[in-house]
Amino acid sequence: MKLKKKKGRSIQQLIGIKTFTKSGIKVGKDELYFFAVAPTNISVLSAANIEGKIHQMMMLLSAIPDIEVSCTDSSECFDDNKLYLKDRLEEEPNPNIRKLIKKDMEFLDSVQSDISTARQFMLIVRVKGGRSDKQTSSADIERKLRDQGFDFRHLKKPDIKRILAIYFDASMYGEQMPDVDGAQFLEVNNSNEG
């Protein structure tokens, strides 16, 4: 019995991203628009203001039925780096190198404590079939968000790339990643041939 070798699939294929669009990303037949929403500290609001915020969210959810809410870390986690440094520290015989490794560990701890509580909140609107109509155009969604008192920003390609990179633990500098995996190596090879 002969086994056929299956062609590997990219992460992009596995999660269904086809391409970036002017307003978001194309996923299957649908398009996703991303909006970063500034959070409100409800611990300082009165009961009436909290009820108002809840009402605004309810109105938004009824006005845009295909909206999804997402909360993610706003930066990458350094746990793997810290584990690596800990193992490296145990193996290193040179006291000067050990001091440097300890300083690196302290730096990662300080950076992570500064950003560990940072979260980003997003509203993601799925436009069925990728066709914008009057109810689902980017401008109409922005108007509905404004009408309900949300402080938001429509995310563009670099922002979306950064979010995906953090989500997949690739890098906190996702906006600098190439659109096509390995494209930077093709460019280098092509420039060397010329």
Side-chain angles (χ1 to χ4, degrees):
M1 174 191 237
K2 255 188 175 177
L3 294 175
K4 289 184 179 180
K5 185 176 178 182
K6 291 183 180 180
K7 184 179 176 187
R9 295 175 65 191
S10 70
I11 294 294
Q12 183 176 341
Q13 290 170 320
L14 289 172
I15 61 176
I17 296 176
K18 300 250 185 220
T19 187
F20 286 93
T21 65
K22 181 180 166 193
S23 301
I25 57 175
K26 183 95 168 154
V27 179
K29 293 181 179 180
D30 301 339
E31 186 172 357
L32 300 178
Y33 299 155
F34 293 79
F35 298 91
V37 179
T40 301
N41 184 356
I42 62 171
S43 65
V44 298
L45 296 179
S46 69
N49 283 336
I50 293 173
E51 282 183 32
K53 293 287 182 189
I54 293 170
H55 181 72
Q56 288 173 326
M57 181 57 98
M58 286 174 32
M59 295 301 292
L60 183 66
L61 293 173
S62 65
I64 309 172
D66 291 320
I67 199 166
E68 300 170 28
V69 180
S70 175
C71 175
T72 62
D73 291 334
S74 62
S75 65
E76 66 182 319
C77 177
F78 297 109
D79 290 344
D80 289 340
N81 297 24
K82 290 180 351 186
L83 284 173
Y84 168 77
L85 289 175
K86 182 181 173 196
D87 291 343
R88 183 78 177 79
L89 184 64
E90 291 172 3
E91 297 169 0
E92 182 57 54
N94 185 327
N96 292 328
I97 302 292
R98 289 177 60 82
K99 285 180 189 175
L100 290 173
I101 292 172
K102 285 180 184 177
K103 286 186 182 230
D104 282 346
M105 291 173 73
E106 290 169 8
F107 172 74
L108 287 179
D109 284 339
S110 70
V111 171
Q112 190 155 7
S113 67
D114 289 344
I115 60 176
S116 65
T117 58
R119 302 281 184 263
Q120 55 190 1
F121 297 88
M122 289 173 289
L123 298 175
I124 305 164
V125 180
R126 180 178 297 272
V127 179
K128 301 285 185 185
R131 284 179 271 124
S132 291
D133 57 23
K134 188 176 184 318
Q135 298 301 313
T136 58
S137 72
S138 179
D140 189 59
I141 293 166
E142 290 178 19
R143 182 187 55 76
K144 289 175 182 178
L145 287 168
R146 258 190 305 281
D147 288 350
Q148 295 307 322
F150 285 90
D151 185 12
F152 70 93
R153 181 173 63 89
H154 189 158
L155 300 181
K156 299 296 182 195
K157 181 178 179 176
D159 303 309
I160 297 169
K161 286 173 72 174
R162 183 175 185 279
I163 290 164
L164 292 172
I166 291 169
Y167 182 80
F168 288 107
D169 284 336
S171 168
M172 63 186 276
Y173 302 105
E175 68 275 6
Q176 298 170 3
M177 295 175 96
D179 291 350
V180 177
D181 193 23
Q184 71 274 26
F185 301 114
L186 290 174
E187 291 171 11
V188 169
N189 287 339
N190 289 339
S191 66
N192 289 340
E193 292 173 4

